[in-house]
Amino acid sequence: EDKVVQSPLSLVVHEGDTVTLNCSYEVTNFRSLLWYKQEKKAPTFLFMLTSSGIEKKSGRLSSILDKKELFSILNITATQTGDSAIYLCALSGAGGTSYGKLTFGQGTILTVHP
Amino acid sequence: DADVTQTPRNRITKTGKRIMLECSQTKGHDRMYWYRQDPGLGLQLIYYSFDVKDINKGEISDGYSVSRQAQAKFSLSLESAIPNQTALYFCATSDSNGRDAFFGQGTRLTVV
């Protein structure tokens, strides 16, 4: 079974802080690693990473994948209260019956205080 | 209109009752998924389907069944609901590349 582990499980910071969320995995072959933000209900897509070492950026958020060390990080700089959410990491499987199947980590609950 | 629509959005039911959660999508995707979310456990895969004739068990399929009535419709059934099936349920779709997923708004199910 594919395994995805996120850390920390929860994090409390103040506005303006920078946070780094971690996602490590035990999968030998996958198509992509995905980051989602979940506020009140459905997860919303943030990033899709397929290549090692190439940073994806969107405003204050950035993410990078390290296929050698089997992890990804999601950075949020100058955090705002609106960044408070659960951040989910998922792997899209590559082989056999895992092809395209998403395996999620537990999520990191981020709370940003004013 | 949402691309992935789940009904109902909230449901309270009694132990032992049969209940069906429905999902429909307008994205034209072949792949559909049902996930369950409990606090602190992320999303766990219940069942998934890669096309109308294909049904696969996920990590936590016991106590659940599914039906893929059409490419656009994928329903999840609890034949005899029990309290530990109280959770938030998400339907999702992806295209044949399976690289990304689009989620419905979720169904909050409470079994009393």
Side-chain angles (χ1 to χ4, degrees):
Chain A
E1 280 288 333
D2 299 344
K3 188 173 179 184
V4 180
V5 178
Q6 291 185 243
S7 63
L9 293 182
S10 65
L11 189 56
V12 180
V13 300
H14 287 94
E15 273 191 322
D17 289 348
T18 293
V19 298
T20 299
L21 310 183
N22 300 288
C23 175
S24 63
Y25 55 89
E26 296 175 8
V27 175
T28 54
N29 191 21
F30 64 96
R31 292 180 59 79
S32 60
L33 186 145
L34 304 154
W35 283 96
Y36 291 88
K37 178 182 181 182
Q38 184 179 21
E39 294 179 85
K40 297 208 186 303
K41 280 288 181 85
T44 54
F45 174 79
L46 291 175
F47 295 111
M48 179 172 69
L49 304 162
T50 55
S51 300
S52 195
I54 298 176
E55 187 183 48
K56 294 277 183 95
K57 283 180 72 72
S58 176
R60 296 177 293 103
L61 278 66
S62 63
S63 185
I64 197 162
L65 175 64
D66 187 328
K67 284 189 172 181
K68 183 178 176 186
E69 299 298 330
L70 308 184
F71 76 93
S72 173
I73 60 171
L74 174 68
N75 275 320
I76 308 175
T77 59
T79 52
Q80 302 170 357
T81 55
D83 295 327
S84 296
I86 301 172
Y87 290 84
L88 296 163
C89 169
L91 286 180
S92 178
T97 57
S98 292
Y99 187 87
K101 186 178 76 171
L102 291 182
T103 301
F104 282 86
Q106 321 94 300
T108 294
I109 302 171
L110 175 65
T111 304
V112 182
H113 287 310
Chain B
D1 286 342
D3 292 321
V4 183
T5 302
Q6 291 183 231
T7 56
R9 296 287 300 277
N10 287 283
R11 180 73 183 265
I12 300 174
T13 192
K14 291 184 177 180
T15 297
K17 293 290 188 184
R18 183 179 188 274
I19 183 166
M20 180 182 289
L21 309 184
E22 300 191 4
C23 177
S24 62
Q25 51 119 344
T26 59
K27 298 198 70 68
H29 287 165
D30 290 326
R31 295 156 182 251
M32 298 187 75
Y33 310 80
W34 275 105
Y35 290 92
R36 167 181 172 155
Q37 187 174 33
D38 297 280
L41 290 179
L43 274 72
Q44 295 175 280
L45 184 61
I46 307 172
Y47 271 96
Y48 60 106
S49 167
F50 284 174
D51 66 39
V52 174
K53 296 186 177 113
D54 177 77
I55 300 289
N56 303 284
K57 291 184 177 181
E59 308 161 69
I60 54 164
S61 58
D62 288 348
Y64 301 94
S65 62
V66 291
S67 173
R68 184 81 184 267
Q69 303 95 319
Q71 188 206 34
K73 294 184 184 298
F74 192 37
S75 59
L76 175 73
S77 293
L78 288 68
E79 296 301 325
S80 180
I82 57 177
N84 76 0
Q85 291 177 311
T86 294
L88 186 57
Y89 290 85
F90 285 105
C91 173
T93 74
S94 66
D95 62 20
S96 56
N97 287 322
R99 285 187 166 188
D100 190 7
F102 296 85
F103 287 85
Q105 289 301 301
T107 296
R108 185 166 295 282
L109 176 66
T110 303
V111 183
V112 297

